[in-house]
Amino acid sequence: MNRKYKIACALTVLTLALSGCASKGKVEEAKPNPLPKLTQAKSLVPVFSQSVASTDEADPLRLRLDADNGVIFAINPKGEVEAYQGKQRLWQKNISKLGLSSGVEAKDGLVVVGNQKGQLFALDQATGETKWTAQLSGAILAPSLIHAGRVITVSNDGTVFAHEVETGKQAWTYNLPNVQFSLRGQAAPVALDARNVLIASANAYIYAIDAISGIPKMQRRVAVSEGRSDIQRLIDIDGEPVVAGQFVVTTSYQGQVTVLDLASQQVVWSEDASSIQRPEVKGNGVFVAQTDGKITAYEITTGNKLWENDQLLNRQLSNPVMLGNDLVVGDLDGVLHLLDPSTGEIIGRSKTSGEVRTLRVIDNQLYVATRKGAMSVWQNR
């Protein structure tokens, strides 16, 4: 039984488990906390917005935007990629009749996207013309990484692929360990240094791999599970690891937030926290949006809890990001919450359309993608 089938089984088992509970009595969903009243009313300024097709509510697609050389690249799950400079559309290309399922990676003159059939597309940034395509062994649900002359992509069957930036020729592959059950989704590769990349996996390990040769340099477990059933033991790392100086910060589902020292490859500290989102690191703070809606801040060298905010429980929070001096997180109603990173107090909010799936900050601007298909860029006042 291949890993793709096992992933489907995991979701089926979870569905049946919930259905079984419902048959014995009415199961009430946890209601999202109402929006807290604010003593301050700080908000963000919209810079750019564009609507594309929505994604299925149950699908984990995040459809991240990207920008390079002042040009914004957005993806439409129906199969289109668009480029904007300011509010002017430079080009629009329909590249896949089978749709698109990964976020955008734009660098070195390329725009790279993928679909659920494992097709990887590399487009010319200036024109949108397809420069090369490649066929991978599984669905592409996370953005690729362009690094050290390679396009690094992780397919959902656990295979890491590297292709040459210029030609699309496959340079190497690396197989992550097979797991019996995992969440549907995958953390994107991240750059570790000038030559190496970090890959996070469903078995709660992170791997450092030479981007040019494909030779593994490190593997380290960063979370453990205490669950009894297969579902309770799910411990995927679906949020990208964060490299912060000598440290790597990871979060895992039903696991821990962990800080690893790169020099010694030893865990500095680890605290119980369940999250499928990328953590944010700024200064001495590690900020985590947990699956239950709590936002927690830790001190990076000690793991001491600096603060915890539980005002947004069950609001299906996005990854947190730092925009200037504010910590920003999105929720299921399209609300962008602004928090004081030193205290965790909510100090403002703005509103977009649809459940916020990803946030990222590029050149001091906030890039937002929602399930409803609202792609937008914001900045501080």
Side-chain angles (χ1 to χ4, degrees):
M1 183 167 66
N2 63 36
R3 184 170 185 264
K4 187 181 211 179
Y5 181 71
K6 292 170 185 171
I7 292 170
C9 280
L11 296 178
T12 302
V13 169
L14 182 58
T15 301
L16 290 174
L18 294 176
S19 300
C21 292
S23 66
K24 297 178 181 179
K26 185 176 180 181
V27 177
E28 293 186 5
E29 288 188 13
K31 293 182 179 180
N33 268 17
L35 293 177
K37 294 181 180 180
L38 302 181
T39 57
Q40 304 182 58
K42 191 172 184 180
S43 60
L44 301 172
V45 178
V47 176
F48 163 85
S49 64
Q50 175 68 19
S51 294
V52 298
S54 62
T55 59
D56 187 276
E57 185 174 2
D59 203 301
L61 300 185
R62 294 173 179 172
L63 303 182
R64 185 190 78 184
L65 289 80
D66 205 359
D68 195 30
N69 297 318
V71 178
I72 299 169
F73 301 95
I75 192 173
N76 187 321
K78 288 188 174 180
E80 294 180 341
V81 181
E82 302 175 346
Y84 291 85
Q85 190 157 38
K87 296 183 179 181
Q88 178 188 2
R89 187 166 66 190
L90 302 180
W91 51 259
Q92 179 183 34
K93 298 291 182 179
N94 192 332
I95 63 169
S96 172
K97 294 181 180 180
L98 300 174
L100 294 170
S101 56
S102 77
V104 183
E105 170 74 351
K107 187 180 178 183
D108 294 349
L110 287 186
V111 180
V112 178
V113 295
N115 68 16
Q116 302 217 40
K117 297 299 183 180
Q119 295 174 314
L120 187 67
F121 305 90
L123 315 180
D124 185 281
Q125 279 192 14
T127 66
E129 296 301 322
T130 301
K131 295 190 70 173
W132 53 263
T133 62
Q135 181 63 55
L136 278 56
S137 56
I140 304 171
L141 302 180
S144 301
L145 172 71
I146 299 175
H147 190 62
R150 299 284 189 260
V151 176
I152 311 295
T153 312
V154 186
S155 65
N156 208 43
D157 66 354
T159 307
V160 185
F161 289 84
H163 294 86
E164 295 179 359
V165 166
E166 291 299 324
T167 65
K169 180 181 178 182
Q170 184 174 301
W172 53 264
T173 62
Y174 181 85
N175 292 319
L176 299 174
N178 199 356
V179 294
Q180 186 175 9
F181 293 96
S182 71
L183 299 176
R184 178 171 168 79
Q186 176 69 51
V190 298
L192 176 59
D193 52 37
R195 178 160 178 149
N196 298 294
V197 296
L198 270 181
I199 308 293
S201 75
N203 66 345
Y205 275 77
I206 55 173
Y207 301 83
I209 303 176
D210 187 302
I212 298 175
S213 67
I215 296 174
K217 298 293 188 67
M218 176 191 77
Q219 69 175 50
R220 189 68 170 83
R221 186 170 191 135
V222 291
V224 294
S225 172
E226 297 179 353
R228 295 184 177 182
S229 70
D230 289 329
I231 299 300
Q232 291 170 338
R233 284 194 294 269
L234 290 175
I235 197 169
D236 301 45
I237 303 175
D238 272 10
E240 288 76 51
V242 176
V243 180
Q246 72 188 84
F247 301 119
V248 174
V249 184
T250 59
T251 55
S252 56
Y253 179 64
Q254 300 183 141
Q256 293 84 36
V257 52
T258 300
V259 171
L260 180 75
D261 185 287
L262 285 169
S264 64
Q265 297 186 18
Q266 297 299 310
V267 170
V268 179
W269 59 265
S270 185
E271 292 290 337
D272 288 344
S274 176
S275 179
I276 60 171
Q277 305 290 358
R278 176 190 185 275
E280 177 65 300
V281 180
K282 183 71 172 182
N284 72 332
V286 174
F287 305 97
V288 177
Q290 300 192 50
T291 51
D292 62 2
K294 291 178 184 176
I295 306 171
T296 311
Y298 304 89
E299 205 282 324
I300 192 168
T301 58
T302 64
N304 290 337
K305 187 183 292 187
L306 302 176
W307 52 258
E308 186 168 80
N309 186 309
D310 62 1
Q311 293 177 289
L312 304 176
L313 290 180
N314 307 312
R315 295 195 66 85
Q316 299 177 25
L317 301 183
S318 73
N319 60 300
V321 295
M322 284 295 301
L323 178 66
N325 295 320
D326 300 323
L327 183 70
V328 185
V329 65
D331 73 11
L332 79 170
D333 291 325
V335 180
L336 302 171
H337 303 271
L338 282 66
L339 289 79
D340 183 331
S342 62
T343 65
E345 178 187 3
I346 299 176
I347 56 175
R349 64 172 66 107
S350 291
K351 183 74 164 64
T352 182
S353 179
E355 177 189 338
V356 178
R357 287 291 175 89
T358 61
L359 300 179
R360 65 188 315 207
V361 174
I362 303 172
D363 296 332
N364 296 315
Q365 292 187 322
L366 178 69
Y367 286 66
V368 182
T370 76
R371 186 188 69 81
K372 193 174 180 179
M375 310 289 189
S376 55
V377 181
W378 306 72
Q379 64 185 22
N380 278 318
R381 288 189 182 275

